[in-house]
Amino acid sequence: EDGAPGRRGERSEEGPAERGPGAAFHMFVLMEDLLDKLKLLSYEEEALRRHNMRPLSRHYFALPTNPGEQFFMFCTLAAWLISKAGHPFEQPQECDDPNAVISNVLSQLRSF
């Protein structure tokens, strides 16, 4: 990325005004890219139908609308992707402790 610090994933100390006028919309572009990649993996058929969930809008994670629902959708997709990568992972439930769920997801990702 142009003007990005040394390594991928590092955050700049600059605020939105210093990064340019399009910086505020970068999260929307990232979400659209994510959705395109999920569609290539057939997430609607394989992940959503199994759990009777609606497809994501193109800005689902870019705008905070319902944090509980968004967190559960994130966990559902993370569990599906981990399983799709060949690591067995139990689907989290809505009533599960969020800290435990995230800990399990991170533990599985570290094992890759």
Side-chain angles (χ1 to χ4, degrees), residues 25-94:
F25 300 100
H26 184 67
M27 71 182 103
F28 295 99
V29 173
L30 290 176
M31 181 60 209
E32 287 185 29
D33 288 345
L34 171 67
L35 191 56
D36 287 342
K37 291 173 184 174
L38 288 171
K39 286 180 180 181
L40 287 172
L41 293 171
S42 303
Y43 89 104
E44 292 169 324
E45 293 81 21
E46 294 183 24
L48 299 184
R49 285 197 183 136
R50 181 180 306 147
H51 301 290
N52 199 24
M53 300 173 115
R54 295 176 308 188
L56 300 177
S57 71
R58 60 189 190 127
H59 302 302
Y60 184 79
F61 290 116
L63 298 171
T65 55
N66 182 341
E69 176 186 303
Q70 288 172 310
F71 179 76
F72 183 66
M73 177 64 80
F74 168 78
C75 294
T76 299
L77 291 173
W80 173 70
L81 287 168
I82 291 168
S83 296
K84 192 160 183 74
H87 292 249
F89 193 83
E90 187 175 325
Q91 171 63 40
Q93 303 299 313
E94 281 190 89

Side-chain angles (χ1 to χ4, degrees), residues 78-79 81-83 85-90 100-112:
L81 287 168
I82 291 168
S83 296
H87 292 249
F89 193 83
E90 187 175 325
V101 172
I102 290 299
S103 178
N104 290 339
V105 167
L106 291 174
S107 175
Q108 278 293 332
L109 293 176
R110 284 186 196 107
S111 74
F112 279 59

